[in-house]
Amino acid sequence: MVHVVMATGFLLILIGFYGALTHRNLLRMIVAFTVADTGVNVVIVSVGHMRGRSAPILDRAVAAADAVQRIIDPVPQALVLTAIVIGVGVTALMLAYAWRIYRQHRTLDIARLTALKG
Amino acid sequence: MVINALHILATGLGAAFLTGLLDEKRNGLAFMITLGALAFMSAVSAGWLVLFAATGAHPMDIQTAGTPPPFAIALRMGLAEAALLTLINLAGLFAAMHMGETLLARGRRAMAVLLVMVMALCGLVLTRDLFNLFVFFELIVIATGGLVLLSDDERAVSAGFKYLIVSQFISVLLLVGIVFGYHATGTLNIDGMAEQGSGAFALAFFLILIAVAAELKPFPANGWALDIYESAHPGFAALFSAAAASAALFAFDKVLAIGGAEWLPVATGIGIVSFVAGNLLALPQTNDRRLLGYSSIAQSGLILVAIGQQDILGEHYLFIAGGLLLSHAVAKAGLYWLSGFVAGRELTDWAALRQRPLLVLAFVTGIAMLSGLPPFPGFYAKWELVHLLANEGRLALLGWILFGALVEAGYLFRWFGYAIKRESAHTIDCPPDRVIPVIAALLAGWALGFAWGELSGRSNLLLVLPLLFALAFLLLEWAPAWLKNTLAIGGLSLYFLQTWQDYDPLRLIFLVIFTLGGAIIFLASFHAHGRRIGFYPSAMTMFAGMVLLLQATDSFGFFAAWELLTIGSYFLILRGKESEPHALSYIVFSLGGAFLILAGFAIAAASVVTLAPSGAVSPAPTFEIASLATLAQPVAPWVFLLLAIGFMTKTAAIGLHIWLPGAHAEAETDVSPMVSGVLLKAGLYGLFVLLMSMGRQSLYGVDLVNLMLWIGAITALLGNLMAIFQEDAKRLLAYSSIGQMGYALFGLALMNHLGWLMALMFVINHYVYKSMLFLSVGGVAKRTGTRAMYQMGGLITLMPLSFIATLVGIIAMSGVPPLSGFGGRWIFYNAIMDADTRLPMVLIFLSGPIAFLYLFRLIHTIFLGQLKDEHRRLKEAPLSIVLPQMIYVAILIGVAIFPGLILRRVDAYISQFLPDGALNWEGLTITSQYGWWNPVAIMIVVACIFLLIFGWLLFVNRKAQKVKQFNIVFSAERPYRPETTHFAWNFFAPYKKAMGFLVQPFVTRFWGAITDLLHTAGDLGRRLYNGNGQIYAFHFLIFVVVVFVSQLGM
Amino acid sequence: MDFDWMKIPYAFLTVFIVVNYGFLMGALIQKIGARAGRRHGIPIWQYYLDVIKNYGLRTSITHGVMFYLGPVFRLSGGVGLLLFMPVIYGSYMFSNFSFAGDLILALYFVFFGTLGMALGAGESGHPHAAIGVTRGLQQVSMAELPFAMAVFSVALQYQTLSITEIVAAQQGGMMNWTLFTNPIAVAAAMLAFLGSMMRPPFDVFIAPQEIPIGPPTEYHSSYLALMQTNRAIFPVAKIVIYMNLFFGGAGSWPELFVKVFFLYLFSAFVGVCFPRFRVEQSIRFFLVWAVPLGVLSIMVV
């Protein structure tokens, strides 16, 4: 099960990379990146998963005393949360950029933004 | 008491939030908060730096959340961290100041982003947690994305987007790597991971490493970075290059520690490829900021090499990597801030800087720091690095580093030449908020130079008296030229008086030429009016370098002095009106030669040490010059070869000579004698030292000294031959110098007593007559406004003193008795009687009469023949230029009559090394084993015969009547136009027909082809960067794959 | 060897003998040359007449100081060259001022007169003078090369730079002459000799018959007379070097007269047989024929 999830995560990353490298439209590239980001998050979660354990929330279901044996590793979960936040931030920034580029150049084609080169 | 480092991060973050809370309109307040926060952060970091530097305390870990790792994020503060934080925060502070106008216009959000950026960079340095590292990286990405938009350049938007694309790829790899690393080790703490080693998660570690490496903008995965460098606001580009690159390098170093030694070659490989490629690609750039970007990539590559070599750098690691990193950061920040003053983006637009000498000083400081010239940290760091590499036998890497450094110096100095020589229509205004950052970088550069000098454990160049004296002239730039000139003469003379007793006779001769000889030439500098900004610091640096060269006993002092005199003379040569390309080729050749010397010293140091009697274990990166003698096979001949080529670059041996004619001919009137009469002797001194210590060496059965003999002979012949075809008087003299240096080289390579004496005689004579001739020709050129000899003619009556100087000069130079040149020839003939090889003599025999040809041409076409109409009212050259010439005339006659005054002491000194063949100086006659020579008798006999015949002619021809210029008849016509009557153009046409094949510009073409090749390579390389962000992403992926495959292969 | 005051009158005597010999021999050679061309030629005392006439001429102009000094340099060069050599082997009387220097002094002093002359002629402003000088210099620069190598070869052979010792080594019969002990060097030197004697085929720089070219162009009256005096001394002095180096020197004046005469005749002989080279042709001639001989001579010695 874990391996399937992990494989799915990597597949998403590859799909995202493929999309980002083949689509010339800025918005499509941004979407591709969010796909890849999701893939990364899935991979992280799958790495942190331990069979037969519960979520790392200390409440009535899991007592603090035996938490170490009962819950899965909370760190990847925390990482995923942070990564998602950062991913959102970057995506927002990219969208802002895309908007600004469109306003300036009236195009969303990455191949036409080559004023700087060499 | 220092403040907890967490406050640095807290301050940045807090101030960013605070500005966010402010009213939209209170931008001024927001800006004050920003500056205040950055200043506070800088102060805290500086406090830590002082603490660590003063007490040498151990790094301390700072725990967050009250828990040790792996349960919470840990930070670490140590010496390196404190230094970097100081750098980053100060860069942030000054960047904010520099961008003040923009920030105020854009409002508080921009300021908040800047604060976040600086804070994140600090965090990147401080954190010991891998995921935290990722977070800071992402914060930097976002902040960069924001700050890029501050630019006025519309293209910045697309550049920012390209950056975001690549950073997405990077962050995916990084994150995946981190999580698997965590999975394998159960910790996110870098030190915790390092303890367990990366063996268990090599692939994950590779992903982490490559992602962090990509933040260093390695070649070729760096197209996005170049676009940002080019289009961003220069204030931000400075931050991006100085602070962001430094922080990323530090992060890379931290991450690399996880992998351990087996991953070091990856760093080295990425580094050296980036260094060489970055520099090559910078070569064809014309946009200043893009060029700086390429240079940043290259410099990061160099530091990466140092990181990759940390296994052999040992305790010097921080000194080397830190020196390179801080030099680069300070210089690059300063240069980017400077670019904010320049309106145009072409390199040539920097000519506008000339309106502000202070900015020129900042510019040159930056360039010198980047090129690793003394007295800046890069110089010391390069010295150590090269020595340690040589010690480990990593010679290929060493070679590539020096090659890249040479290319870098090439384009940087070409740029500097543009700034000094080209014209710019723009004006420069200096608002204080922009000047302060530049001055801060300038001061930081010199302070770092001082600090690294202290840390080096060697003589701190900034505490060496001659150099301090030279640099003091920088502070005197407001003073009139005559005052500075008097000080310069006084300084040189005083130095001589104070130190002359410390030298052996051989060095004493060089000392006299370097100090008193220089002082005499400075007399001619009294002709200059105004303040002559830049002249005295440059000239005195050159002289300082030369006297330090004589003082130097160890390899470090020698090399430092060598670089100093090279730089000083470069600035001096660059002052000539048309000298831009020539000064460039001078500095490139000189630095190339200097690098060979450096390599030679490094290789020598590696094996001198193993021979040291004490059986010292740790390799000393410097050694006594004299211990070159103890070098053994197989190292010795290679060291000899490297050093010899290095020195021969300075003496312009054939093949390495093409810089000389232009450099000497285009220099100013009083500079030509300095660089020709005085400076060339430094190369000869080097060769003297080399041959005295190492003697004969042979490589693959080729006797290297014999090879030098041939080179000397060929140089003498071709130098003279090229001189006779020159139409430009100063070029003629310059080519003649090549020939004369060939003679001296030949004499040295004879490796017998008289050969060395002859070389020394050339040292003295060449100084005197070449200085004199350059001054005299310079004076004429000053009056006539041209250096083309065919445009002159008949000046003998108008400029009689210049004529007399030239006459005496050419008699002395051609070796005609009774003047001093004859002594040189006489010693030469006696020397070759003892020589083992005879064939090269043929070339020397031929070059003697050829010298006669160009000397006659010089004096005839300038002073004799027909006076031109436009010159009829000319006056004698200014007194200040004539006076030293008259001194030289007196010296020449004095040396001619009493050569023994100087030579017999040297003769005795040389006997230590080559006892056979010393001359006998009994009475007035100088006797060798083959013949004799009595200068006094010759002088008297010649004078008597001459006067007798002169008296007889006066008696029979006392009423000779002076006639007018055109009172001649030829071809049945009476001429009336001097232009058609003065025979001067193409003076030696038949010689060209018969011997012209020897002076085809093969060497020029060869070096031209090399530079073309480099430019073409650079030009092809830059086509990789076609501007498409997706292609840049491909570059990144290809980079990842290539590094991965090569790591597998290793 | 050192100076003593008696050397001064002896020196005058040497110069006197050589001047007279030079005048007579010069005229004789010219007469021989004329006869070879089936002309009658000049009387044997013609040179005396010329010199006396020129010293007596009253027309006299000058173009400037260097112009005035040119012939002085020229004659000083000739006289100095003569006096710096031991003319007669073994004779104290005619060793003159050879204590001042050895062979190298003599070789380099040759240029003293040439240089002064060239400068004087240059100041006249006459283009033909300058053209002549440059042609002469160019040709000499290459013609001197085989000679220099031959001298080096001889010096190596005898391991000395002293003229007296070189002559001493050749004593004791003709077979001891350098001519026979080192024939290659002598061959090279004799080709060089042709180049420096201002006779065809190497006389384009004075072109004596067709147009007035070369240094003497503007010189007249007493200047010319000085130069003519030098024309008597200088070739003799120069041939004395050759004689001493290659042909056993001379132990007495008659021996000197004979040897010098035949050496001079050699150049005249070649001169009447061959047409004139242009400058670049003569450079190539020396480069192709004489220089290899010179190189060979220093390699085999």
Side-chain angles (χ1 to χ4, degrees):
Chain A
M1 182 62 194
V2 173
H3 293 290
V4 175
V5 176
M6 195 182 281
T8 314
F10 277 115
L11 191 66
L12 283 174
I13 293 177
L14 289 179
I15 291 172
F17 278 10
Y18 178 78
L21 288 174
T22 50
H23 288 288
R24 287 164 50 177
N25 186 300
L26 298 185
L27 295 179
R28 282 169 180 265
M29 290 175 73
I30 294 169
V31 170
F33 281 128
T34 55
V35 171
D37 283 348
T38 312
V40 174
N41 295 337
V42 170
V43 170
I44 296 175
V45 171
S46 72
V47 167
H49 179 75
M50 294 169 179
R51 186 179 284 270
R53 296 195 181 185
S54 81
I57 303 166
L58 301 185
D59 54 4
R60 272 166 297 144
V62 183
D66 57 351
V68 177
Q69 282 80 39
R70 298 270 317 272
I71 61 166
I72 63 166
D73 187 352
V75 173
Q77 312 254 337
L79 299 190
V80 163
L81 285 178
T82 319
I84 290 173
V85 172
I86 290 173
V88 169
V90 175
T91 308
L93 186 62
M94 288 182 94
L95 284 170
Y97 259 97
W99 174 71
R100 205 169 166 138
I101 287 171
Y102 185 74
R103 205 179 52 176
Q104 243 175 39
H105 301 281
R106 293 282 142 199
T107 179
L108 284 173
D109 186 349
I110 184 79
R112 292 176 63 183
L113 302 175
T114 55
L116 290 164
K117 60 180 170 186
Chain B
M1 186 57 213
V2 290
I3 300 169
N4 191 333
L6 269 178
H7 286 105
I8 297 175
L9 303 182
T11 309
L13 216 49
F17 280 117
L18 189 59
T19 50
L21 294 175
L22 284 177
D23 192 283
E24 283 282 1
K25 289 174 191 146
R26 316 234 8 215
N27 281 344
L29 181 61
F31 189 57
M32 292 324 291
I33 292 175
T34 309
L35 290 186
L38 289 170
F40 177 73
M41 291 154 75
S42 309
V44 174
S45 337
W48 279 98
L49 179 59
V50 171
L51 175 77
F52 283 114
T55 64
H58 286 292
M60 54 176 71
D61 282 336
I62 302 158
Q63 294 165 5
T64 60
T67 324
F71 303 108
I73 295 168
L75 307 180
R76 178 174 296 167
M77 182 61 114
L79 179 63
E81 282 89 349
L84 274 172
L85 289 185
T86 314
L87 169 77
I88 290 167
N89 287 318
L90 283 176
L93 175 65
F94 290 117
M97 209 180 274
H98 182 90
M99 294 192 289
E101 214 172 292
T102 315
L103 288 175
L104 285 169
R106 298 294 173 106
R108 58 199 167 81
R109 293 190 187 82
M111 299 173 206
V113 176
L114 178 67
L115 283 167
V116 169
M117 173 88 182
V118 176
M119 184 277 298
L121 291 173
C122 293
L124 199 59
V125 172
L126 284 172
T127 186
R128 303 300 296 176
D129 185 277
L130 212 45
F131 190 75
N132 200 220
L133 197 75
F134 165 77
V135 173
F136 282 127
F137 263 131
E138 292 302 303
L139 277 179
I140 292 169
V141 168
I142 294 173
T144 303
L147 290 172
V148 164
L149 294 175
L150 290 182
S151 172
D152 301 330
D153 190 338
E154 286 201 341
R155 302 171 302 173
V157 183
S158 61
F161 195 80
K162 293 174 202 171
Y163 173 56
L164 292 177
I165 293 174
V166 176
S167 64
Q168 281 280 317
F169 280 96
I170 295 174
S171 69
V172 168
L173 296 192
L174 185 56
L175 210 46
V176 170
I178 287 174
V179 79
F180 279 98
Y182 171 74
H183 184 65
T185 60
T187 178
L188 284 169
N189 185 277
I190 290 174
D191 306 298
M193 281 193 177
E195 275 168 27
Q196 306 190 21
S198 65
F201 57 106
L203 185 62
F205 175 69
F206 170 77
L207 289 178
I208 298 171
L209 190 72
I210 203 75
V212 178
E215 294 288 345
L216 305 177
K217 304 128 194 161
F219 175 83
N222 51 15
W224 47 274
L226 292 164
D227 292 350
I228 287 184
Y229 279 126
E230 181 175 349
S231 63
H233 190 291
F236 171 67
L239 192 65
F240 193 56
S241 174
S246 306
L249 278 162
F250 191 74
F252 183 83
D253 182 51
K254 281 195 280 195
V255 170
L256 194 62
I258 300 175
E262 65 184 297
W263 290 87
L264 290 179
V266 177
T268 308
I270 298 173
I272 193 65
V273 170
S274 295
F275 183 56
V276 173
N279 282 328
L280 270 184
L281 266 55
L283 210 49
Q285 296 301 328
T286 56
N287 179 296
D288 57 349
R289 290 177 189 159
R290 198 167 183 90
L291 180 133
L292 285 174
Y294 275 107
S295 159
S296 293
I297 284 158
Q299 290 284 336
S300 299
L302 183 59
I303 299 161
L304 207 51
V305 171
I307 291 176
Q309 296 297 310
Q310 54 184 279
D311 52 338
I312 59 169
L313 303 189
E315 56 185 305
H316 303 288
Y317 174 51
L318 272 188
F319 180 75
I320 293 171
L324 293 172
L325 190 144
L326 290 177
S327 288
H328 165 245
V330 170
K332 209 46 76 67
L335 289 173
Y336 268 115
W337 286 328
L338 263 182
S339 85
F341 290 100
V342 180
R345 287 280 64 85
E346 290 288 309
L347 294 180
T348 47
D349 290 325
W350 282 58
L353 283 190
R354 282 213 303 287
Q355 299 157 20
R356 309 279 166 160
L358 188 66
L359 296 187
V360 174
L361 180 65
F363 185 29
V364 76
T365 303
I367 282 183
M369 290 180 84
L370 287 181
S371 315
L373 296 176
F376 297 108
F379 172 73
Y380 300 101
K382 196 170 66 186
W383 173 269
E384 300 286 342
L385 177 63
V386 164
H387 275 72
L388 290 166
L389 286 177
N391 196 42
E392 289 293 317
R394 300 187 179 171
L395 297 181
L397 185 62
L398 192 160
W400 281 111
I401 288 177
L402 292 182
F403 168 73
L406 186 60
V407 174
E408 179 167 38
Y411 64 76
L412 289 175
F413 280 100
R414 178 179 62 191
W415 185 15
F416 183 70
Y418 292 159
I420 296 298
K421 288 289 139 195
R422 298 293 171 94
E423 290 308 320
S424 169
H426 304 296
T427 53
I428 283 203
D429 51 337
C430 291
D433 55 342
R434 292 198 174 195
V435 176
I436 291 171
V438 171
I439 291 179
L442 174 66
L443 293 178
W446 287 93
L448 283 173
F450 183 83
W452 250 252
E454 286 295 302
L455 291 173
S456 68
R458 284 177 238 301
S459 56
N460 188 344
L461 296 177
L462 281 176
L463 287 180
V464 175
L465 190 65
L467 184 60
L468 275 184
F469 185 70
L471 293 176
F473 281 92
L474 283 174
L475 305 176
L476 281 177
E477 287 295 34
W478 50 269
W482 63 264
L483 178 65
K484 290 185 274 192
N485 206 36
T486 314
L487 280 176
I489 293 175
L492 286 172
S493 314
L494 198 65
Y495 185 84
F496 174 78
L497 288 177
Q498 289 293 317
T499 62
W500 69 273
Q501 282 141 329
D502 307 341
Y503 294 88
D504 56 53
L506 180 81
R507 285 186 173 78
L508 187 59
I509 285 188
F510 282 98
L511 180 76
V512 170
I513 290 175
F514 290 168
T515 54
L516 298 185
I520 295 177
I521 299 175
F522 267 121
L523 288 177
S525 307
F526 276 119
H527 79 273
H529 302 290
R531 290 186 291 165
R532 229 179 169 198
I533 289 179
F535 176 78
Y536 289 97
S538 321
M540 295 314 287
T541 305
M542 177 178 91
F543 282 108
M546 287 191 290
V547 297
L548 289 176
L549 192 70
L550 291 181
Q551 270 184 1
T553 52
D554 64 355
S555 57
F556 177 78
F558 191 94
F559 182 68
W562 187 264
E563 295 250 275
L564 282 178
L565 68 89
T566 300
I567 310 165
S569 52
Y570 161 75
F571 293 133
L572 217 46
I573 288 170
L574 186 60
R575 295 178 56 83
K577 209 173 269 171
E578 308 276 325
S579 62
E580 184 204 314
H582 310 293
L584 178 63
S585 88
Y586 170 67
I587 190 76
V588 172
F589 270 95
S590 294
L591 285 181
F595 287 165
L596 292 181
I597 294 173
L598 174 62
F601 279 160
I603 294 172
S607 62
V608 161
V609 168
T610 53
L611 287 172
S614 61
V617 185
S618 77
T622 176
F623 59 90
E624 296 288 308
I625 293 283
S627 57
L628 278 175
T630 63
L631 282 183
Q633 296 286 342
V635 178
W638 291 103
V639 170
F640 183 89
L641 192 68
L642 288 168
L643 294 181
I645 296 176
F647 294 137
M648 287 198 292
T649 314
K650 206 48 139 217
T651 63
I654 200 78
L656 303 167
H657 67 282
I658 62 167
W659 57 269
L660 187 141
H664 286 188
E666 300 294 345
E668 290 171 308
T669 301
D670 51 345
V671 171
S672 295
M674 284 182 198
V675 293
S676 177
V678 181
L679 180 65
L680 285 177
K681 308 303 172 296
L684 286 181
Y685 174 71
L687 288 168
F688 255 112
V689 169
L690 179 68
L691 287 174
M692 276 194 301
S693 55
M694 296 195 73
R696 282 188 184 278
Q697 298 289 340
S698 62
L699 193 63
Y700 297 122
V702 179
D703 184 347
L704 293 176
V705 175
N706 211 353
L707 200 64
M708 274 168 76
L709 193 70
W710 274 102
I711 294 174
I714 295 173
T715 308
L717 175 63
L718 293 184
N720 284 353
L721 203 55
M722 287 185 280
I724 71 172
F725 298 126
Q726 302 304 314
E727 303 292 345
D728 175 327
K730 286 179 83 172
R731 268 183 178 267
L732 183 150
L733 290 176
Y735 274 110
S736 137
S737 287
I738 297 179
Q740 297 280 316
M741 288 298 106
Y743 268 103
L745 179 60
F746 176 86
L748 279 174
L750 279 174
M751 284 305 273
N752 60 29
H753 188 99
L754 291 180
W756 283 19
L757 197 61
M758 165 192 149
L760 211 67
M761 188 108 182
F762 264 99
V763 168
I764 302 168
N765 278 338
H766 182 262
Y767 159 69
V768 179
Y769 52 60
K770 198 45 72 68
S771 304
M772 181 163 81
L773 288 174
F774 260 125
L775 282 179
S776 138
V777 163
V780 170
K782 206 173 173 62
R783 289 293 190 227
T784 57
T786 176
R787 297 197 314 255
M789 290 184 284
Y790 59 88
Q791 292 177 354
M792 306 172 183
L795 295 173
I796 174 169
T797 48
L798 301 176
M799 311 181 85
L801 294 174
S802 300
F803 171 76
I804 288 173
T806 310
L807 180 64
V808 172
I810 69 168
I811 292 179
M813 199 162 161
S814 57
V816 172
L819 288 188
S820 64
F822 173 69
R825 301 306 150 108
W826 183 83
I827 298 177
F828 161 72
Y829 270 89
N830 281 285
I832 59 174
M833 295 289 290
D834 272 341
D836 307 326
T837 326
R838 290 176 189 160
L839 222 41
M841 316 301 168
V842 178
L843 303 178
I844 297 279
F845 284 143
L846 179 56
S847 47
I850 291 179
F852 212 72
L853 297 188
Y854 67 70
L855 291 172
F856 176 70
R857 175 176 199 171
L858 184 74
I859 196 163
H860 173 84
T861 49
I862 295 178
F863 292 103
L864 304 175
Q866 299 283 348
L867 183 65
K868 301 287 161 60
D869 290 335
E870 65 267 29
H871 294 158
R872 290 190 195 284
R873 287 158 180 276
L874 288 190
K875 287 183 292 189
E876 177 58 275
L879 175 69
S880 54
I881 296 185
V882 171
L883 180 67
Q885 296 176 43
M886 294 302 112
I887 296 176
Y888 288 132
V889 169
I891 294 177
L892 268 183
I893 292 174
V895 173
I897 301 178
F898 303 112
L901 281 183
I902 305 168
L903 286 184
R904 62 186 305 169
R905 298 211 171 88
V906 184
D907 190 47
Y909 177 74
I910 293 176
S911 293
Q912 290 176 23
F913 303 94
L914 299 164
D916 293 338
L919 297 178
N920 182 356
W921 301 84
E922 294 293 317
L924 294 172
T925 307
I926 300 160
T927 317
S928 77
Q929 134 190 31
Y930 304 102
W932 68 92
W933 162 49
N934 184 338
V936 180
I938 296 174
M939 192 63 99
I940 293 174
V941 169
V942 172
C944 289
I945 296 175
F946 190 87
L947 290 175
L948 213 57
I949 296 172
F950 185 42
W952 164 242
L953 181 66
L954 278 179
F955 172 70
V956 295
N957 189 10
R958 56 196 167 277
K959 285 192 222 153
Q961 188 188 357
K962 180 92 167 72
V963 292
K964 293 237 171 82
Q965 184 177 356
F966 295 118
N967 200 335
I968 51 174
V969 172
F970 71 97
S971 305
E973 274 184 57
R974 206 183 140 188
Y976 60 95
R977 289 193 57 184
E979 285 80 6
T980 51
T981 316
H982 186 52
F983 177 63
W985 168 263
N986 204 4
F987 210 55
F988 293 115
Y991 228 71
K992 207 163 211 166
K993 275 188 197 156
M995 307 284 281
F997 68 95
L998 281 175
V999 290
Q1000 295 299 309
F1002 291 119
V1003 179
T1004 314
R1005 269 185 232 148
F1006 171 76
W1007 291 111
I1010 299 261
T1011 37
D1012 280 354
L1013 195 69
L1014 291 178
H1015 269 93
T1016 313
D1019 214 32
L1020 283 177
R1022 65 192 277 205
R1023 288 190 201 171
L1024 275 176
Y1025 304 121
N1026 66 356
N1028 188 330
Q1030 272 178 327
I1031 302 293
Y1032 292 172
F1034 266 118
H1035 289 164
F1036 169 64
L1037 291 181
I1038 291 167
F1039 167 73
V1040 173
V1041 171
V1042 168
V1043 174
F1044 183 69
V1045 170
S1046 56
Q1047 170 68 3
L1048 279 186
M1050 278 192 282
Chain C
M1 272 192 303
D2 236 331
F3 180 74
D4 84 71
W5 292 99
M6 259 323 275
K7 291 221 173 229
I8 294 175
Y10 289 153
F12 275 104
L13 180 62
T14 309
V15 172
F16 178 78
I17 295 174
V18 169
V19 166
N20 284 298
Y21 172 70
F23 280 155
L24 292 172
M25 181 188 68
L28 182 60
I29 296 281
Q30 197 156 350
K31 206 169 169 65
I32 292 172
R35 288 292 163 88
R38 304 194 178 224
R39 286 175 281 114
H40 185 71
I42 52 172
I44 196 81
W45 56 81
Q46 180 67 45
Y47 281 15
Y48 288 100
L49 298 182
D50 288 351
V51 168
I52 292 167
K53 181 202 77 176
N54 280 332
Y55 277 126
L57 274 180
R58 277 179 290 173
T59 53
S60 174
I61 60 169
T62 173
H63 287 275
V65 178
M66 255 345 266
F67 179 82
Y68 201 97
L69 292 180
V72 181
F73 270 103
R74 188 69 172 143
L75 185 54
S76 305
V79 173
L81 177 63
L82 185 67
L83 295 183
F84 280 133
M85 281 187 298
V87 178
I88 303 294
Y89 171 68
S91 152
Y92 175 76
M93 197 169 164
F94 298 108
S95 70
N96 297 321
F97 304 127
S98 58
F99 63 86
D102 49 25
L103 178 60
I104 307 303
L105 175 63
L107 290 182
Y108 271 89
F109 204 68
V110 169
F111 292 113
F112 185 82
T114 316
L115 178 66
M117 182 73 222
L119 295 179
E123 207 192 2
S124 73
H126 198 299
H128 284 173
I131 291 171
V133 171
T134 63
R135 287 180 177 179
L137 284 176
Q138 290 171 86
Q139 180 174 305
V140 157
S141 76
M142 194 53 81
E144 281 289 318
L145 179 58
F147 178 58
M149 285 188 281
V151 169
F152 184 38
S153 171
V154 170
L156 284 173
Q157 182 187 356
Y158 300 119
Q159 283 295 305
T160 179
L161 290 170
S162 154
I163 296 176
T164 311
E165 285 177 32
I166 290 176
V167 176
Q170 300 178 59
Q171 297 308 306
M174 250 173 92
M175 291 316 286
N176 286 343
W177 291 4
T178 316
L179 175 64
F180 298 106
T181 56
N182 192 354
I184 303 174
V186 178
M190 289 317 285
L191 285 177
F193 178 69
L194 294 177
S196 61
M197 288 307 285
M198 292 194 271
R199 299 213 161 251
F202 304 109
D203 64 342
V204 70
F205 52 91
I206 49 168
Q209 276 80 31
E210 297 83 352
I211 45 168
I213 198 169
T217 306
E218 276 288 299
Y219 283 114
H220 56 279
S221 69
S222 42
Y223 306 115
L224 193 57
L226 282 185
M227 295 168 74
Q228 282 172 324
T229 314
N230 182 61
R231 288 282 291 163
I233 298 174
F234 187 73
V236 176
K238 185 140 193 179
I239 293 171
V240 167
I241 299 182
Y242 277 79
M243 179 188 79
N244 283 333
L245 291 183
F246 308 121
F247 299 100
S252 63
W253 281 108
E255 191 184 350
L256 182 138
F257 293 155
V258 172
K259 282 184 175 172
V260 169
F261 175 77
F262 278 105
L263 280 171
Y264 204 136
L265 189 63
F266 167 68
S267 72
F269 180 79
V270 174
V272 296
C273 295
F274 290 97
R276 184 182 288 156
F277 274 141
R278 285 202 310 268
V279 175
E280 68 270 20
Q281 288 170 328
S282 42
I283 290 175
R284 283 197 207 112
F285 173 84
F286 288 117
L287 198 60
V288 171
W289 297 105
V291 171
L293 278 178
V295 172
L296 196 63
S297 76
I298 61 171
M299 293 315 290
V300 299
V301 67

